[in-house]
Amino acid sequence: FTQSTTIARYLLTAKNHPWTGVITGTLLTAMIGSSSASTALIITLAKGGTLPLLAAIAIVFGNNVGTCATAVLASIGGSRDVQRVAATHVLLNVSGVFVFMAFLHPFANLVMLFTSDPAQQVALAHVLFNVISSLIALPFVGQIARFLYHLLPDKAPAR
């Protein structure tokens, strides 16, 4: 799988086009079904010097979106509550990516303040993305829940 020239080409394109990295990370994780595996691959590529930090971070952001595929697939045919949980997962990760991509360079600089090791930088970026995204969303839990109940209302009982 890691020898796929198409995937490798898109991963390397992320060096100059971070949004391509986000999309590639999303697709890669959705295809293999594991954000841990795809993030480990990116950590390895960054550690080996193949991917610069900005590209690796953009791809890891995409990995967080790609991991939503599992939740969405699992929610098909499920209760409305299950579908709302999957939708929340997608909403939080996609929103987080847009916020963090707006600050990609300062975020990378922040990560570099903590460690000079590329593998640790990528891992730290992954952790910070998830923690900070969750903390930003926390005060809006009520509004998010209302939005999702509006978007996915309870099903009318069958007649």
Side-chain angles (χ1 to χ4, degrees), residues 22 56-65 97 100-101 104 107 125 129:
V22 171
I57 290 174
I59 295 166
V60 167
F61 290 167
N63 292 351
N64 280 282
V65 174
V97 166
F100 276 77
M101 284 299 286
L104 180 61
F107 181 68
F129 171 83

Side-chain angles (χ1 to χ4, degrees), residues 104-117:
L104 180 61
H105 291 274
F107 181 68
N109 290 334
L110 173 70
V111 167
M112 288 188 289
L113 290 176
F114 290 96
T115 180
S116 60
D117 180 78

Side-chain angles (χ1 to χ4, degrees), residues 24-57:
T24 302
T26 300
L27 295 175
L28 176 66
T29 301
M31 286 188 320
I32 64 175
S34 171
S35 64
S36 298
S38 55
T39 300
L41 171 65
I42 301 312
I43 288 172
T44 302
L45 293 173
K47 180 80 172 172
T50 305
L51 278 177
L53 183 60
L54 286 175
I57 290 174

Side-chain angles (χ1 to χ4, degrees), residues 7-25 42 51-60 101 104:
I7 296 290
R9 186 174 65 244
Y10 284 112
L11 289 173
L12 295 176
T13 301
K15 289 180 181 180
N16 300 317
H17 304 284
W19 279 103
T20 301
V22 171
I23 293 166
T24 302
I42 301 312
L51 278 177
L53 183 60
L54 286 175
I57 290 174
I59 295 166
V60 167
M101 284 299 286
L104 180 61

